[in-house]
Amino acid sequence: MSGIKQANLAGAAFLCRAEELAEGQSRGFDPWHEGHDTVLLVRHQGRVHGWRDACPHHGGTPMAWRKDAYLNADRSRIVCAAHGAQFDIASGVCTLGPCMGQSLQRVDIVTTTQQEIFIQREHGGDRENDKHG
């Protein structure tokens, strides 16, 4: 997470304000209006981590078992509800389950000096590449 100038936000999508994501909380977002959450944020040890909401085990399966429910009971790992895989919050590496050693795909998030969290569009803002990239 880093502070950036407003001018660098061309093509970026607003996700939330930093204070809207409490320590140990996860939240899903649909930044490109696809009709379902495609990105998840987790605040862990004071840092916000952004990941695609797609388990690497089987074709990008969405991971939450209900809206914003991405974490295990003690909020120490991201969990795929479909496969039971568990992922390290900071690195995205699978530590338990059928995709051991694989990783979640990190998304490029930025925080402005006004504490607003945005996601940067990949591939220069080409929506088609975001879906297939």
Side-chain angles (χ1 to χ4, degrees), residues 11-95:
F14 175 75
L15 298 177
C16 66
R17 294 193 50 77
E19 70 264 11
E20 295 173 334
L21 189 66
E23 180 65 31
Q25 183 182 12
S26 62
R27 225 173 125 190
F29 299 90
D30 180 12
W32 314 122
H33 310 289
E34 296 180 28
H36 59 93
D37 290 341
T38 57
V39 171
L40 69 106
L41 296 182
V42 180
R43 184 180 294 273
H44 180 67
Q45 297 180 344
R47 295 197 53 185
V48 176
H49 303 274
W51 303 102
R52 284 199 180 274
D53 183 358
C55 183
H57 175 240
H58 183 16
T61 302
M63 301 198 329
W65 64 275
R66 68 174 167 75
K67 177 72 175 144
D68 301 331
Y70 293 97
L71 302 177
N72 62 355
D74 69 2
R75 300 183 178 275
S76 64
R77 298 268 186 257
I78 298 168
V79 176
C80 176
H83 307 108
Q86 294 190 23
F87 301 86
D88 180 76
I89 293 171
S91 70
V93 172
C94 181
T95 59

